[in-house]
Amino acid sequence: MDLATLIGLVGALGMVFTSILMGGDIGMFYNAPSIMIVFGGTIMVVLMKFPLNIMLSSFGVAAKAFVYKSQKPSEIIEQSIKLANVARKEGLLGLEGVEVKNEFLSNGIQLVVDGNDPVLIQKMLSKEISLSIERNEIGVSIFKAMGDVAPAMGMIGTLIGLVQMMSNMSDPSSIGPAMAVALLTTFYGAIFANTFALPIADKLAHRSNEERLNKSMILESISAIQEGLNPRMIEGLLNAYLSDKDKYSSNNKAA
Amino acid sequence: MDLATLIGLVGALGMVFTSILMGGDIGMFYNAPSIMIVFGGTIMVVLMKFPLNIMLSSFGVAAKAFVYKSQKPSEIIEQSIKLANVARKEGLLGLEGVEVKNEFLSNGIQLVVDGNDPVLIQKMLSKEISLSIERNEIGVSIFKAMGDVAPAMGMIGTLIGLVQMMSNMSDPSSIGPAMAVALLTTFYGAIFANTFALPIADKLAHRSNEERLNKSMILESISAIQEGLNPRMIEGLLNAYLSDKDKYSSNNKAA
Amino acid sequence: MDLATLIGLVGALGMVFTSILMGGDIGMFYNAPSIMIVFGGTIMVVLMKFPLNIMLSSFGVAAKAFVYKSQKPSEIIEQSIKLANVARKEGLLGLEGVEVKNEFLSNGIQLVVDGNDPVLIQKMLSKEISLSIERNEIGVSIFKAMGDVAPAMGMIGTLIGLVQMMSNMSDPSSIGPAMAVALLTTFYGAIFANTFALPIADKLAHRSNEERLNKSMILESISAIQEGLNPRMIEGLLNAYLSDKDKYSSNNKAA
Amino acid sequence: MDLATLIGLVGALGMVFTSILMGGDIGMFYNAPSIMIVFGGTIMVVLMKFPLNIMLSSFGVAAKAFVYKSQKPSEIIEQSIKLANVARKEGLLGLEGVEVKNEFLSNGIQLVVDGNDPVLIQKMLSKEISLSIERNEIGVSIFKAMGDVAPAMGMIGTLIGLVQMMSNMSDPSSIGPAMAVALLTTFYGAIFANTFALPIADKLAHRSNEERLNKSMILESISAIQEGLNPRMIEGLLNAYLSDKDKYSSNNKAA
Amino acid sequence: MDLATLIGLVGALGMVFTSILMGGDIGMFYNAPSIMIVFGGTIMVVLMKFPLNIMLSSFGVAAKAFVYKSQKPSEIIEQSIKLANVARKEGLLGLEGVEVKNEFLSNGIQLVVDGNDPVLIQKMLSKEISLSIERNEIGVSIFKAMGDVAPAMGMIGTLIGLVQMMSNMSDPSSIGPAMAVALLTTFYGAIFANTFALPIADKLAHRSNEERLNKSMILESISAIQEGLNPRMIEGLLNAYLSDKDKYSSNNKAA
C-alpha cells in the first residue's frame, strides 16, 4: 500500500477545500456545466488519443499508484545469494527445487534449469524488461495526457463563459458572478491536472523505474549464477544498485 | 474500425455544444472571419511547413485514425508457430505454399524461401521498419503542426479584433460584443487544436507504435524460423511482446 | 519550385489582411516604431546569436524553402540500377563513362572507379552526409531563432506602450487607441513568427530530411554496386526507402 | 561548505524583501491561507509523485546543496600518480598499504589488490557510477517537481480568490484588497519555485555532474594503474578532465 | 573580434531606446527597486544554481562571445597537408621541427612524435574534445539560466507592485502610474533575457560547436598523418567538413 499517494491526494484536496471554506460559501465553486466540460471533455479527448482497451485498463493502472509495492532490492539480493549457493553445491539443476517468490526471477531460473544458452536467456529477459517498461509507459502517458488536456478544456470552458458574458452586458451587476462562473472551468482543469492526473503519472513512472531496476538486478543475478560466480561477488555486483545506507550485507543475516 | 476516436470526437464536441446551449444562443459563437482566419490560416501555414503532396495525403492519414486496426499480436504468434512447424517438417522451401495474411510477414518469408542470407534479410527488413516508421511520423507531425498553429492563428485573430475594438471605443455598449467576437478566434483555435488535431496526432503515433511492435515481432519470428528454432521457443520469444494477460498459449489452440 | 511554400505564405497573409479589411480601416494596423522594434530588433538579436557570415547567407537559405526541389527517389533507384548493370557487365572501371546527374552519386562513383577501399568510401560519404545535415540545421536554427525572438520583441514593444500609456492617463479617450498601438507590436511579432519564420524553418528541416534520405539511398547503392550485388537486389534494398505506392519497379521501365 | 548557495538564497530573498519594504508595509504580503495552499499543497502533491521514503530523505538532499564539497580533481590526479608509482615499484599488491581518502578510489584499489579481472572491475565500477548518478537524479527531480507544482498551486489559490471576489462585488472598495490577496498565492508560488526549489535542483544536478566526472577520472586511473601505465601517461590522461588553467602538473609538487 | 555580437547588442538596445524616446520621456522607464530586483535577483539566483568559481569566470566567458574567433577550417586543412607532406618525406619524427599555430594540433602532433600508440592518441584526444565541450556547455548554461531567471524575477517584481497598488487604491489617479512602475520589472526582465543573456548563450553554443568541428578535423588529420595517408586523401577527408563553396583546394595554394 503506497500511503504517500493517498496522503498527498487527501492532503492537497483538503488544503484547497479549507482555503475555499475560509473565504466563504463553497456553493459558489460548484457549476454543473463546468464539471461536464472539464471532466467529460477530458475523458473524451483522451479517448481519441488512445485505443479503447488501453483506456478501459487505465483505472486499474491508476489503482497501481495507490496500492502497488515494489519488492525490496535487498530481498532480491538475499534470494540471489541463496540461489547462487545452491547452484554451487548442487549444480544448476539443483535450482529446480528452490522456491522463488519473485515471478521474473522464477521464470529466469526456470530458463537456466532448462539448460538454455546464456546469450539466449539474456536476450529473452532483456527484451521482456524493455517491453514491459514500454507497456508501463503507456499507462504513464494516459495520465500525462489527462494532465495536458484538462487545463485546455478548462480554458475552452472559460472562453465559452467569457463570450456569453460579454455578448450580454446589459446588467452590470451580473458581470462579476458570470465571470466567476467562467473562471470555474479553468479552476477545475488546474485542480484535476495538478492534484490528480500529473502526480499519478509521475508516481507510475517512478514505480516503472523501480521495476526496471529490480528486473535489471535479477537479470544480472541470473547471468552470474549461470556463470557460476562466487556468491560474495554476486553480492558486490548487486549492491551497486543500492545506495550506501541500503547496502545488503550477508554477514548480518547468514553466517 | 477504431470506435474510440469517433466516440471521443463526437463526445468532446457534444459536450462543448451542450455547454454553449446551456448558456444561451449558439448564434453568438458563429463568426465567419474568425472561422476563415483560424481554419484557413492554419491550413495555409501548415502548407508552408510541408511539401504539397504530403499535405494532400493528410486526409487519408487522418482517416487512418478512425478506421485503421492493427493485427492482433496473438495472431502473428499463431501464424509464426504454424510457419515454424512447416519449416521443421518440410524445410524452408516448404514455406512457399503456406498462405500468410500479413503482408510484411509474407514478404519476409518470401526472402527466406528465395534462400537469401539471414544477415541481409535482417538488414533489409529492419530498414523497411525504420523507414516506414519515419513515414508514419510525418503524418503525425502534420497534425501536431496543425495543433501548434491553430492556437497561434487564434491569437492573431483575437489581436486583430482587440486592436479594432480599442481604436474605436466611442460607443461603450459595443465594447462587450466586440470583445466577445475577438475572443471567438482564440476559442476556435483552442477547439480545433485540442479536440481534433492533437488527439489525431497522438492516435496516429500510437498506431505507428503498434505497427513497429508487430513488425519487430515478425522480424524476430522470421529470424528464428530461418535458424530452425524450436516452435515452443519462438512462442516464448514472441510472448515477451505481450502483457501477462494477453500472452498467447499454443496449448489452448493447437494440440 | 516549391509551390506549397508560396501558396501558403500568400494565403495566410491574404486571410489576415481580408480579416483586417472586413473589420474596417487597415491604417490602424500600421505603426512605424512597432515595425522597427519587432523586425529590426529581431534581426539584431538573431545577429547576436549567430556569426555574421551565417546570417548573411540566411536569405539564400530562405529562398531554398521556395525554390528547392529534391531529386525524386525513384530516379535515384533507376540510375543506381543502370550503374549496377554497367558494373556487372564492364567491371567497376566501366562506371567511368556513365553520365550521372546527381552530384553526390557522381562523386561516390568516382571514388569507386579510383579503386578506393569500400570501408574508406563509406566513412568519407557518411561523414559528408552527417556534416551537410549539420550545416542545413544551422539554416533551420536561424529561422527557429527568428520565430522565438519576434514574439519576445513584440512583448517588449507592448510593455513600452503600456508603460507610456499608464504613466499618462489624464485623457481617458486616448487610452483605447494607445492600447491598440501597444498591442500592434505583439501582433507583428505573432505574424512574423507564425506565418513566416517558423514555417520556413520547418520546410527547411523537411528538405534537409529528404536530402538525408536521398543521400543514404545513394550511399547504400554505391556500397552495393562495389560489392557487385545483383541489380534486382539493389532495387529491393532501395525500395525500402519508398512508401508502398511510390515503389519503383524496373519492370515498368526496362525490360 | 558551498557559500554560493547560501549567499544566493539570502541575497535573492533580501532583495525581494527590500523591494517590498521600499513600497510600504510588509504586512500586506502576509496571508495565512495563501501560505497553506502554496507550501502545504506543494508538499502534498510532491508526496503523491514520489515514494514516502524518498520524500523524507529530501531534506538531507537539500542540505547537500549548501554543504557538499566535491573533492578537487587535482587531488585525485595527485593520488593516482602516487598509487601508480607504488604499483610500479612494489607491484599491485603493494597498493594494499597506501592510505586513500576518496572512498570510491579506495574501493576500486581494493578490487585491484584482490586480483580481480580488469574487465569485471570496470563493469562493477561503471555500474556503480551510473546507478549513483541515477539516485542523485531522483533528488534533483524532487526539487524540480516542487518548482513545477508551486506555481500551479499558486495559480489555483489565485483562482479561488478571484472566484470569491467576483461572486461578491457589492462593495467596490473591497475589490482592490481582495485582488491583492488573490495575487499573493501566485507571488508565493513564484518565490518558492524561482528562489528556492529550482536553484536547489540545479545546484544538485551540478554536484552530481562533478561527482560523475570525478568518478570517471578514478575509473580511468584504476584501469591505467592495473595495466601498469607510466605515471606520466596517467597524468596526461587525467588532465584531459581539467580546463587548461586547472591542469595538474606533477613537476610543481613531486620531483 | 566577433562584430555580429556587438552590432546586434547595440542595435537591439538602440531600437528599444529609440522606440521609448519616440513615445516621450525616458525618465518613466527608470525605477531603482525594479532594477535591483531584476538584475540583482537574477545574479543571486544564478549564484545558487552554479558553484562560485564558475560564476566568477562567467564574465570572461561572456567576453568570448564578443572577441573569440575560431580558426578557419581551411587553415587547418592547409596545415594538415603540410604536416602530411613532411611526414611522408622525413618520417613521423620529422614533424618535430614543424611550427604549428593551433595548440590542439600541436599537442596531438607531439603525441605522434613521441611514438605513442594511435589508439591511445585517439582515445586521449577524443576525451579532451568531449570534456572541453562539456566545460563550454557550463558557460552556455549560465547564460541560459540568466535568461530563464530574469523574466521570473521580473514577474515577481510586477506581482509585488500589483499587490501594493491594489491594497491601496484610495487615489484613482495614482493607479495608472503605479501599474506602469509595476510593469517595469517585467520589462527589465524581458530586455535582459532576450537582448543579452539568451543571445550570448546561443553565440557561445555556436562557438563551442565550431570548436568541436575544428578539433574533430584535427583528430582525423592526426590519425591520417600517423597512418601515412596520401596528403590528397587527407584533403578529401577534411573537405567533408566544409560546405561546397568553402572547400579547400590545394591546387590554388601549393603546386
Side-chain angles (χ1 to χ4, degrees):
Chain A
M1 181 73 190
D2 185 339
L3 273 177
T5 314
L6 196 65
I7 294 174
L9 181 58
V10 170
L13 291 181
M15 286 187 188
V16 169
F17 278 110
T18 309
S19 171
I20 287 175
L21 288 171
M22 284 168 87
D25 183 17
I26 201 169
M28 67 179 82
F29 283 86
Y30 172 80
N31 182 259
S34 300
I35 289 173
M36 183 189 73
I37 209 166
V38 172
F39 296 90
T42 299
I43 299 294
M44 286 298 156
V45 168
V46 175
L47 200 56
M48 287 183 77
K49 290 177 185 249
F50 294 92
L52 195 56
N53 61 331
I54 286 178
M55 272 300 288
L56 293 176
S57 70
S58 73
F59 296 98
V61 172
K64 216 172 161 182
F66 291 94
V67 304
Y68 182 79
K69 194 98 196 137
S70 322
Q71 193 171 12
K72 279 172 73 173
S74 58
E75 283 176 40
I76 292 170
I77 299 184
E78 198 180 334
Q79 217 152 23
S80 299
I81 292 170
K82 208 173 80 187
L83 287 163
N85 278 318
V86 171
R88 280 169 81 91
K89 282 185 212 133
E90 312 174 23
L92 293 177
L93 288 177
L95 296 169
E96 180 95 62
V98 186
E99 195 201 357
V100 180
K101 273 194 307 185
N102 186 298
E103 197 189 4
F104 188 71
L105 179 52
S106 151
N107 288 346
I109 291 296
Q110 193 55 49
L111 288 170
V112 171
V113 170
D114 292 351
N116 288 294
D117 182 60
V119 173
L120 183 71
I121 294 181
Q122 289 294 306
K123 200 184 141 195
M124 281 181 73
L125 296 183
S126 309
K127 187 172 309 151
E128 196 153 329
I129 293 177
S130 68
L131 289 163
S132 79
I133 294 305
E134 233 178 80
R135 279 191 297 274
N136 285 342
E137 276 168 6
I138 292 177
V140 171
S141 63
I142 287 183
F143 289 91
K144 276 242 171 73
M146 286 182 183
D148 285 346
V149 172
M153 293 312 291
M155 194 189 74
I156 287 174
T158 295
L159 284 169
I160 292 175
L162 288 179
V163 168
Q164 287 171 339
M165 180 193 88
M166 284 171 181
S167 302
N168 202 336
M169 301 214 300
S170 50
D171 175 13
S173 73
S174 72
I175 292 178
M179 193 134 180
V181 169
L183 281 180
L184 279 180
T185 45
T186 294
F187 174 69
Y188 291 157
I191 288 279
F192 184 59
N194 290 297
T195 69
F196 181 74
L198 295 176
I200 295 288
D202 280 4
K203 176 73 62 112
L204 290 173
H206 202 87
R207 289 279 170 247
S208 171
N209 196 36
E210 278 179 3
E211 197 182 318
R212 182 181 56 76
L213 278 176
N214 276 359
K215 286 188 170 168
S216 304
M217 275 177 76
I218 290 171
L219 186 62
E220 190 131 15
S221 131
I222 287 168
S223 163
I225 290 169
Q226 202 168 14
E227 283 175 32
L229 225 69
N230 188 324
R232 187 150 282 273
M233 208 65 165
I234 293 178
E235 186 181 323
L237 265 174
L238 299 188
N239 258 330
Y241 286 88
L242 273 61
S243 68
D244 284 340
K245 70 178 192 1
D246 292 333
K247 294 272 187 246
Y248 172 82
S249 167
S250 56
N251 298 330
N252 311 338
K253 314 248 173 167
Chain B
M1 181 74 189
D2 185 339
L3 273 178
T5 314
L6 196 65
I7 294 173
L9 180 59
V10 170
L13 292 180
M15 286 184 187
V16 169
F17 278 111
T18 309
S19 171
I20 287 174
L21 289 172
M22 285 167 86
D25 183 17
I26 201 170
M28 66 179 83
F29 283 86
Y30 172 79
N31 182 259
S34 300
I35 289 174
M36 182 189 73
I37 208 166
V38 172
F39 296 90
T42 300
I43 299 295
M44 286 298 155
V45 168
V46 175
L47 199 57
M48 287 182 78
K49 289 177 185 250
F50 295 92
L52 195 56
N53 60 331
I54 286 178
M55 273 299 289
L56 293 176
S57 70
S58 73
F59 296 100
V61 173
K64 216 171 160 182
F66 291 94
V67 304
Y68 182 78
K69 194 98 196 133
S70 320
Q71 193 172 11
K72 280 171 72 171
S74 57
E75 283 176 39
I76 293 170
I77 299 183
E78 197 180 335
Q79 216 150 23
S80 299
I81 293 170
K82 208 173 80 187
L83 287 163
N85 277 318
V86 171
R88 279 170 82 89
K89 282 185 213 134
E90 313 174 24
L92 292 176
L93 287 179
L95 296 170
E96 179 97 62
V98 186
E99 196 200 359
V100 179
K101 272 194 307 185
N102 186 298
E103 197 189 4
F104 188 70
L105 179 53
S106 151
N107 289 347
I109 291 296
Q110 192 56 48
L111 289 169
V112 171
V113 170
D114 292 351
N116 288 295
D117 183 60
V119 173
L120 183 72
I121 294 181
Q122 289 294 307
K123 199 183 141 195
M124 282 180 73
L125 296 183
S126 309
K127 185 170 311 150
E128 195 153 330
I129 293 177
S130 67
L131 289 164
S132 78
I133 294 305
E134 233 178 81
R135 279 191 298 271
N136 286 342
E137 277 169 5
I138 292 177
V140 171
S141 63
I142 286 183
F143 288 91
K144 276 240 170 74
M146 286 183 183
D148 284 346
V149 172
M153 294 311 292
M155 194 188 74
I156 287 174
T158 295
L159 284 169
I160 292 175
L162 288 178
V163 169
Q164 287 171 339
M165 180 193 87
M166 285 170 181
S167 302
N168 203 335
M169 302 213 299
S170 51
D171 175 13
S173 73
S174 73
I175 292 177
M179 193 134 179
V181 168
L183 281 179
L184 279 181
T185 44
T186 293
F187 174 70
Y188 291 157
I191 288 278
F192 183 59
N194 290 296
T195 69
F196 181 74
L198 296 176
I200 295 288
D202 280 4
K203 176 73 62 112
L204 290 173
H206 202 86
R207 290 279 169 247
S208 173
N209 195 37
E210 278 179 2
E211 196 181 319
R212 182 181 56 77
L213 279 175
N214 275 359
K215 286 189 171 168
S216 303
M217 275 178 75
I218 289 171
L219 187 61
E220 190 130 16
S221 131
I222 287 168
S223 163
I225 289 169
Q226 202 167 13
E227 284 175 31
L229 225 69
N230 187 322
R232 188 150 282 272
M233 208 65 164
I234 293 178
E235 186 181 323
L237 266 175
L238 299 187
N239 258 330
Y241 287 87
L242 273 60
S243 67
D244 284 340
K245 69 178 196 356
D246 293 335
K247 294 273 188 247
Y248 173 81
S249 167
S250 56
N251 298 330
N252 311 338
K253 315 249 172 165
Chain C
M1 182 73 191
D2 185 339
L3 273 178
T5 313
L6 196 65
I7 294 173
L9 180 58
V10 170
L13 291 180
M15 286 185 188
V16 169
F17 278 111
T18 309
S19 171
I20 287 174
L21 289 172
M22 283 167 86
D25 183 16
I26 201 170
M28 66 178 84
F29 283 86
Y30 171 80
N31 183 258
S34 301
I35 289 173
M36 181 190 74
I37 208 167
V38 173
F39 296 90
T42 300
I43 298 295
M44 287 298 156
V45 169
V46 176
L47 199 57
M48 287 183 77
K49 289 176 185 250
F50 295 92
L52 194 57
N53 60 332
I54 286 177
M55 273 300 288
L56 292 176
S57 70
S58 73
F59 296 100
V61 173
K64 216 173 162 182
F66 290 95
V67 304
Y68 182 78
K69 194 96 196 137
S70 322
Q71 192 172 12
K72 281 171 73 171
S74 58
E75 283 176 39
I76 293 170
I77 300 183
E78 196 179 337
Q79 216 151 23
S80 299
I81 293 170
K82 207 173 82 187
L83 287 162
N85 278 317
V86 171
R88 280 170 80 90
K89 281 186 212 132
E90 314 173 23
L92 292 176
L93 288 178
L95 296 170
E96 179 96 63
V98 186
E99 196 201 358
V100 180
K101 272 194 307 185
N102 186 299
E103 197 189 3
F104 187 71
L105 179 53
S106 151
N107 288 347
I109 291 296
Q110 191 57 46
L111 289 169
V112 171
V113 170
D114 292 351
N116 288 295
D117 182 60
V119 173
L120 183 72
I121 293 181
Q122 289 295 306
K123 199 183 141 196
M124 282 181 74
L125 295 183
S126 307
K127 186 171 311 151
E128 196 153 330
I129 292 177
S130 67
L131 289 164
S132 78
I133 294 306
E134 233 178 82
R135 279 191 297 272
N136 285 342
E137 277 168 7
I138 292 178
V140 171
S141 63
I142 287 184
F143 288 92
K144 277 241 170 71
M146 286 183 183
D148 285 346
V149 172
M153 294 312 292
M155 194 189 74
I156 287 174
T158 295
L159 284 168
I160 292 175
L162 288 179
V163 169
Q164 287 171 338
M165 180 192 88
M166 284 169 181
S167 302
N168 203 335
M169 301 214 299
S170 50
D171 175 14
S173 73
S174 73
I175 292 177
M179 191 133 179
V181 168
L183 281 179
L184 279 181
T185 45
T186 294
F187 173 70
Y188 291 157
I191 288 278
F192 183 60
N194 290 295
T195 68
F196 181 75
L198 296 176
I200 296 288
D202 281 3
K203 175 73 63 114
L204 290 173
H206 201 88
R207 289 279 169 247
S208 172
N209 195 37
E210 278 179 2
E211 196 181 320
R212 182 181 55 77
L213 279 176
N214 275 0
K215 286 187 171 169
S216 304
M217 276 179 74
I218 289 171
L219 186 62
E220 189 130 18
S221 129
I222 287 169
S223 163
I225 290 169
Q226 202 168 12
E227 284 175 31
L229 224 69
N230 187 322
R232 188 150 283 271
M233 208 66 164
I234 294 179
E235 185 180 323
L237 266 174
L238 300 187
N239 258 330
Y241 286 88
L242 273 61
S243 67
D244 284 340
K245 69 179 196 354
D246 293 333
K247 295 272 187 245
Y248 173 81
S249 167
S250 56
N251 298 330
N252 312 338
K253 314 250 172 163
Chain D
M1 182 72 191
D2 185 339
L3 273 178
T5 313
L6 195 65
I7 295 174
L9 180 59
V10 170
L13 291 181
M15 286 185 187
V16 169
F17 278 110
T18 310
S19 171
I20 287 175
L21 288 171
M22 284 167 88
D25 183 17
I26 200 170
M28 68 177 84
F29 282 87
Y30 172 79
N31 183 258
S34 301
I35 288 173
M36 183 190 72
I37 208 167
V38 172
F39 296 90
T42 299
I43 299 294
M44 287 298 154
V45 168
V46 175
L47 201 56
M48 288 184 76
K49 291 177 185 249
F50 294 92
L52 194 56
N53 61 332
I54 286 177
M55 272 301 288
L56 293 176
S57 69
S58 72
F59 297 98
V61 173
K64 215 172 162 182
F66 291 94
V67 304
Y68 182 79
K69 194 97 197 135
S70 321
Q71 192 171 12
K72 279 171 73 171
S74 58
E75 283 176 39
I76 293 170
I77 299 183
E78 197 179 337
Q79 217 151 22
S80 300
I81 293 170
K82 207 173 80 188
L83 287 162
N85 278 317
V86 171
R88 280 169 82 89
K89 282 184 211 132
E90 312 174 23
L92 293 177
L93 288 178
L95 296 170
E96 180 95 62
V98 186
E99 196 201 356
V100 180
K101 272 193 307 184
N102 186 298
E103 198 190 3
F104 188 71
L105 179 53
S106 151
N107 289 347
I109 291 296
Q110 193 55 47
L111 288 170
V112 171
V113 169
D114 292 352
N116 288 295
D117 182 61
V119 173
L120 184 71
I121 294 181
Q122 290 295 306
K123 201 185 140 195
M124 283 181 72
L125 296 182
S126 307
K127 187 171 311 152
E128 196 154 328
I129 293 177
S130 67
L131 288 163
S132 78
I133 294 305
E134 233 177 81
R135 278 191 298 274
N136 286 342
E137 277 167 8
I138 292 177
V140 171
S141 62
I142 286 183
F143 289 91
K144 276 242 170 73
M146 287 183 183
D148 285 346
V149 172
M153 293 312 291
M155 194 189 74
I156 286 174
T158 295
L159 284 168
I160 292 175
L162 288 179
V163 168
Q164 287 172 338
M165 180 193 88
M166 284 170 182
S167 302
N168 203 335
M169 300 213 301
S170 51
D171 176 13
S173 74
S174 73
I175 292 178
M179 193 135 180
V181 169
L183 281 179
L184 279 181
T185 45
T186 294
F187 174 69
Y188 291 156
I191 288 279
F192 183 59
N194 290 297
T195 68
F196 181 75
L198 295 175
I200 295 289
D202 281 4
K203 176 73 60 112
L204 290 173
H206 202 88
R207 289 280 170 248
S208 172
N209 195 37
E210 277 179 3
E211 198 183 318
R212 183 181 57 75
L213 278 176
N214 275 359
K215 286 189 170 166
S216 304
M217 274 177 76
I218 290 171
L219 186 62
E220 189 130 18
S221 130
I222 287 168
S223 162
I225 290 168
Q226 202 168 14
E227 283 176 32
L229 225 69
N230 187 324
R232 188 150 282 273
M233 208 64 165
I234 293 178
E235 184 180 324
L237 266 174
L238 300 187
N239 259 330
Y241 286 88
L242 273 61
S243 67
D244 284 340
K245 71 179 192 359
D246 293 332
K247 294 272 186 246
Y248 173 82
S249 168
S250 56
N251 298 330
N252 311 338
K253 314 248 173 166
Chain E
M1 182 71 190
D2 185 338
L3 273 178
T5 313
L6 195 65
I7 294 173
L9 180 59
V10 170
L13 291 181
M15 285 183 188
V16 169
F17 278 110
T18 309
S19 170
I20 287 176
L21 288 172
M22 284 168 87
D25 183 16
I26 202 169
M28 66 177 85
F29 283 87
Y30 172 79
N31 183 258
S34 301
I35 288 173
M36 182 190 72
I37 208 166
V38 172
F39 296 90
T42 299
I43 299 294
M44 286 298 155
V45 169
V46 176
L47 200 56
M48 289 183 75
K49 289 175 185 252
F50 295 91
L52 194 56
N53 61 331
I54 286 178
M55 272 301 288
L56 293 176
S57 70
S58 72
F59 296 99
V61 172
K64 216 172 161 182
F66 291 94
V67 304
Y68 183 79
K69 194 94 197 140
S70 321
Q71 192 171 13
K72 280 171 74 171
S74 57
E75 282 176 41
I76 293 170
I77 300 183
E78 196 178 338
Q79 216 151 23
S80 300
I81 292 170
K82 207 173 82 187
L83 287 162
N85 278 318
V86 170
R88 280 169 82 90
K89 283 185 212 132
E90 313 174 22
L92 292 176
L93 289 178
L95 296 169
E96 180 96 62
V98 185
E99 196 201 357
V100 179
K101 273 193 307 185
N102 186 297
E103 197 189 4
F104 187 72
L105 179 53
S106 152
N107 289 347
I109 290 296
Q110 191 57 46
L111 289 169
V112 170
V113 170
D114 292 351
N116 288 294
D117 182 61
V119 173
L120 183 72
I121 294 181
Q122 289 294 306
K123 200 184 141 196
M124 283 181 72
L125 296 183
S126 308
K127 186 169 313 150
E128 196 153 329
I129 292 177
S130 67
L131 289 163
S132 77
I133 294 306
E134 234 178 80
R135 279 191 298 273
N136 285 342
E137 277 168 7
I138 292 178
V140 171
S141 62
I142 287 184
F143 289 91
K144 277 242 170 72
M146 288 184 183
D148 285 347
V149 172
M153 294 312 291
M155 194 189 73
I156 286 174
T158 295
L159 284 169
I160 292 175
L162 288 178
V163 168
Q164 288 171 337
M165 179 193 88
M166 284 171 182
S167 302
N168 202 335
M169 302 213 300
S170 51
D171 175 13
S173 73
S174 73
I175 293 177
M179 192 135 180
V181 169
L183 281 179
L184 279 181
T185 46
T186 294
F187 173 70
Y188 291 156
I191 288 278
F192 183 59
N194 290 296
T195 69
F196 181 75
L198 296 175
I200 295 288
D202 280 4
K203 176 73 60 112
L204 289 173
H206 202 88
R207 289 280 170 248
S208 172
N209 194 38
E210 278 179 3
E211 196 183 319
R212 183 181 55 77
L213 279 176
N214 275 359
K215 286 188 170 168
S216 303
M217 274 178 76
I218 289 170
L219 186 61
E220 189 130 18
S221 130
I222 286 168
S223 163
I225 290 169
Q226 202 167 14
E227 283 176 32
L229 226 69
N230 186 323
R232 188 149 282 272
M233 208 64 163
I234 294 178
E235 184 180 325
L237 266 173
L238 300 187
N239 258 330
Y241 287 87
L242 273 61
S243 67
D244 284 340
K245 70 180 195 357
D246 293 332
K247 295 271 185 248
Y248 173 81
S249 167
S250 56
N251 298 330
N252 312 336
K253 313 250 172 163

